[in-house]
Amino acid sequence: MGFAQIDGPDSYMLSRVAESLYWMSRYLERAENTARLIDVHQNLMLDSSPEISEEPRLMRLLNSIDYRVSSDELPEPEDILKTLAFDAENPFSIHHSVTAARENARQVREQVSSEMWTQINKLYLDVHTVDPDEVWGDTPHDFFVAVKHGSHLFQGITDATMNHNQGWYFIQVGRYIERLTALTTFLNVQLQQNEDFADNNKGNEYFEMVAMLKSVSAFEAYCKVYNPEMKPDWIAEFLLFNPEFPRSARFCADGILHALDRMADVTMRHKNQRVNRLAGRLQSSLSFDEIGDVIDGDFHDYLMNIKRQAFKIHDSLYEAYINYSIEAALK
């Protein structure tokens, strides 16, 4: 079992504790992301013309969370959306993610504040005690809002009640890695070919792009930076490179690097270790790349490269802080 030094020479954190905090954060972010995407999808379908087929939008939704289903075997839309919300056995479902987040919090109960535990337990009970048929037939929107607000409230409580030490930084890294990988998957599905970057903001295309921004809670923020005109290249630029929007790729990379640098400080490790170098390289590219060059090149490959770098950061984080050998710790 590995240990990571924290807050002084006589205080240590078990690597299993760091791992649980990291995954607690990732699973909660995942649940909130899935709830947001399904909620926006449902609202978009209610506002759409009856002649528009739901299947293409449903496939985009499923692909946006990496849930692969053959279009030839696609279940009824209502059935698959209920599965993604309530199926405890489905690893892509909100129910599964909230359960996993709460279980990781339970394993490190002594590390989280009582307020954090109360909030994540409340969210867990809210998800577990609902009747799926009743919720779906009445107000599914309220259920998704409750999941989103429950996640946001937990993040706020965490920031306000937990020591901002190594454990807190593991929570930040988990949140931003999950958010970054989810964003690259989402953008790749929504804007996956260069020809999609056409200046077409009429009719259904306009509302599709509004829904795209709302799917990442970005509509109001985007309009404040640009304007209500929807242009795919503007959307891509905002979601990739804006340094101030909390769900942009650039903001996530900044958050990952800052958390890793602070972790290196409190554990007295050198900031030049591999995980910090990988995070610095990603942050640098997202700071200086320009959307014109990205669009002129291979947009899909650019997004997948960001995702691969996030995976490498995850792997290196494990090597540096969770699965490291005693010999490595003594260097």
Side-chain angles (χ1 to χ4, degrees):
M1 182 67 67
F3 291 82
Q5 188 172 320
I6 175 172
D7 289 344
D10 299 320
S11 181
Y12 293 86
M13 171 174 284
L14 282 168
S15 59
R16 66 166 180 82
V17 173
E19 183 177 30
S20 291
L21 292 172
Y22 173 78
W23 280 108
M24 175 193 72
S25 181
R26 287 199 63 165
Y27 277 121
L28 204 57
E29 181 72 22
R30 192 173 302 176
E32 192 261 341
N33 181 64
T34 303
R36 187 174 357 94
L37 290 176
I38 298 176
D39 191 34
V40 172
H41 172 83
Q42 289 288 88
N43 290 332
L44 185 62
M45 290 310 301
L46 290 174
D47 294 336
S48 296
S49 303
E51 63 270 13
I52 296 178
S53 172
E54 182 176 359
E55 182 175 315
R57 283 175 174 158
L58 181 59
M59 289 300 297
R60 286 203 300 274
L61 168 65
L62 299 180
N63 290 334
S64 292
I65 58 173
D66 263 341
Y67 187 52
R68 303 300 177 181
V69 178
S70 170
S71 58
D72 297 331
E73 303 172 358
L74 190 65
E76 288 296 317
E78 179 177 321
D79 293 337
I80 197 165
L81 291 178
K82 286 172 68 175
T83 293
L84 289 175
F86 306 112
D87 187 353
E89 303 301 320
N90 189 320
F92 293 89
S93 74
I94 295 169
H95 188 291
H96 181 276
S97 294
V98 170
T99 301
R102 191 254 192 187
E103 176 58 23
N104 276 283
R106 187 193 64 78
Q107 292 177 10
V108 291
R109 178 67 184 84
E110 72 284 357
Q111 294 292 329
V112 301
S113 68
S114 58
E115 293 89 348
M116 290 168 64
W117 174 250
T118 298
Q119 173 55 27
I120 201 168
N121 206 42
K122 179 182 183 302
L123 178 58
Y124 169 83
L125 293 173
D126 288 344
V127 171
H128 273 248
T129 57
V130 299
D131 182 328
D133 293 327
E134 182 178 329
V135 167
W136 207 261
D138 188 13
T139 54
H141 171 70
D142 290 347
F143 171 78
F144 298 127
V145 169
V147 173
K148 291 186 290 182
H149 287 181
S151 174
H152 296 160
L153 184 56
F154 181 82
Q155 292 178 10
I157 290 172
T158 299
D159 291 349
T161 65
M162 184 178 183
N163 289 336
H164 287 205
N165 54 20
Q166 188 187 1
W168 187 80
Y169 288 118
F170 270 103
I171 292 173
Q172 305 311 303
V173 172
R175 177 192 304 170
Y176 288 123
I177 287 181
E178 183 67 29
R179 190 174 291 180
L180 180 60
T181 55
L183 176 67
T184 54
T185 301
F186 176 78
L187 286 175
N188 187 50
V189 171
Q190 300 295 325
L191 298 170
Q192 57 183 307
Q193 296 180 344
N194 286 349
E195 54 262 32
D196 289 334
F197 291 95
D199 185 11
N200 188 345
N201 59 0
K202 298 179 181 179
N204 293 322
E205 290 81 2
Y206 178 84
F207 292 106
E208 293 280 355
M209 285 186 277
V210 170
M212 179 183 171
L213 287 168
K214 289 184 175 181
S215 294
V216 286
S217 301
F219 177 67
E220 290 84 358
Y222 168 89
C223 290
K224 287 179 173 64
V225 174
Y226 298 92
N227 58 56
E229 184 179 3
M230 296 291 113
K231 290 188 176 184
D233 54 342
W234 289 0
I235 293 173
E237 181 178 48
F238 181 76
L239 294 179
L240 284 174
F241 303 135
N242 189 281
E244 299 174 347
F245 179 61
R247 295 189 180 277
S248 76
R250 163 71 186 280
F251 192 99
C252 292
D254 289 347
I256 292 168
L257 181 60
H258 175 71
L260 289 172
D261 283 347
R262 292 295 297 122
M263 284 163 58
D265 289 339
V266 298
T267 57
M268 295 183 238
R269 297 192 181 190
H270 201 281
K271 291 182 182 179
N272 196 38
Q273 61 183 323
R274 184 168 188 265
V275 63
N276 296 72
R277 294 199 306 272
L278 289 170
R281 190 177 305 148
L282 175 61
Q283 192 271 347
S284 179
S285 66
L286 289 169
S287 298
F288 295 104
D289 289 345
E290 296 183 351
I291 193 61
D293 296 332
V294 173
I295 293 173
D296 290 340
D298 189 327
F299 187 62
H300 165 79
D301 186 65
Y302 184 84
L303 292 173
M304 290 305 95
N305 183 49
I306 294 174
K307 193 172 185 178
R308 285 191 294 270
Q309 290 184 71
F311 288 160
K312 288 180 180 178
I313 292 170
H314 165 88
D315 292 342
S316 295
L317 177 73
Y318 261 66
E319 293 173 6
Y321 291 103
I322 296 173
N323 291 335
Y324 61 87
S325 64
I326 296 299
E327 292 77 10
L330 295 175
K331 288 182 179 180

